[in-house]
Amino acid sequence: MEHIHANEIIMTIGKSKTVEAFLTAAAKKLKFSVVVAETSPTYGGHEMALKLSKAGIDTTVITDSAIFAVMSRVNKVILGIHAVLANGGLIAVSGTQMVAAAAKHHSTPVVVCTGLYKLSPLYPYDEDWFNDLVAPDPVLSFDEGDLVDKVTLLNPYYDYVTPEHVDLFITNTGGHPPSYLYRLINENYDPEDTVI
């Protein structure tokens, strides 16, 4: 818990069981506040905020559009992710790139909580390949027939976050700087694992 200090304001985005467990464990020893971005249209941030508040953590939910405005008050960003790629880039819930970019602009440290099993030996040759698009119905219902025909809707599910936006990785083996990531991947994967 040396990565969180008393009275800090921490931002996260969406729902992550790893981040939830990390913050809940820290809250047993320290008092701090968490700002959760809601991740529209899935609104996983609402569920995350509810769980954190039930654990006794002072929690605030903000809209995704307010991330940049609130970032100047945040001491640290803690992210949960779906995968860490060989170059240190992240595959995470849509909106994470915006949080990381706002944090970099405001010189706010970005910490990634992840298990070693989420490390991937794959290198992102085409970064856009990871930005999966899903059905636009949660954003604009198909019942809005007249409007749907006049607009192009994109509903991304994942974001690719560049490695330059990450300051620290916390895994089940401890905290690691991004420069150490290649070693963790080499320890967990055989070179043949990268051949598909």
Side-chain angles (χ1 to χ4, degrees):
M1 294 305 109
E2 67 270 8
H3 302 292
I4 297 179
H5 306 290
N7 301 318
E8 276 192 323
I9 299 174
I10 297 166
M11 181 181 280
T12 191
I13 183 167
K15 182 180 79 169
S16 165
K17 290 180 182 180
T18 308
V19 173
E20 178 191 341
F22 181 77
L23 294 174
T24 303
K28 293 177 182 174
K29 298 180 181 181
L30 299 167
K31 184 165 178 57
F32 54 89
S33 301
V34 177
V35 176
V36 182
E38 66 181 1
T39 58
S40 176
T42 60
Y43 300 108
H46 290 232
E47 188 177 335
M48 176 76 153
L50 181 62
K51 290 181 177 185
L52 293 176
S53 64
K54 285 182 178 178
I57 300 171
D58 180 28
T59 308
T60 304
V61 177
I62 62 169
T63 61
D64 298 337
S65 60
I67 290 169
F68 191 85
V70 174
M71 189 61 73
S72 63
R73 299 182 191 126
V74 172
N75 302 103
K76 189 173 291 154
V77 172
I78 298 180
L79 299 175
I81 51 95
H82 292 282
V84 181
L85 302 176
N87 69 336
L90 311 174
I91 303 299
V93 67
S94 182
T96 306
Q97 172 64 23
M98 180 172 47
V99 171
K104 185 172 183 117
H105 178 81
H106 288 284
S107 299
T108 304
V110 174
V111 177
V112 174
C113 286
T114 185
L116 287 177
Y117 68 94
K118 290 189 178 185
L119 293 179
S120 169
L122 299 178
Y123 189 85
Y125 293 107
D126 180 11
E127 297 170 3
D128 289 334
W129 187 79
F130 296 104
N131 296 333
D132 286 344
L133 299 175
V134 294
D137 192 44
V139 178
L140 184 65
S141 174
F142 292 113
D143 296 335
E144 306 287 330
D146 294 338
L147 187 58
V148 169
D149 293 338
K150 297 175 185 166
V151 296
T152 301
L153 271 172
L154 299 176
N155 185 14
Y157 192 76
Y158 293 119
D159 268 351
Y160 172 76
V161 180
T162 58
E164 297 80 27
H165 289 91
V166 180
D167 297 296
L168 181 68
F169 288 93
I170 298 176
T171 68
N172 42 316
T173 61
H176 307 287
S179 60
Y180 190 75
L181 197 62
Y182 77 94
R183 179 133 187 208
L184 290 174
I185 290 173
N186 285 339
E187 290 173 358
N188 290 285
Y189 288 96
D190 187 274
E192 291 181 9
D193 291 337
T194 60
V195 179
I196 297 178

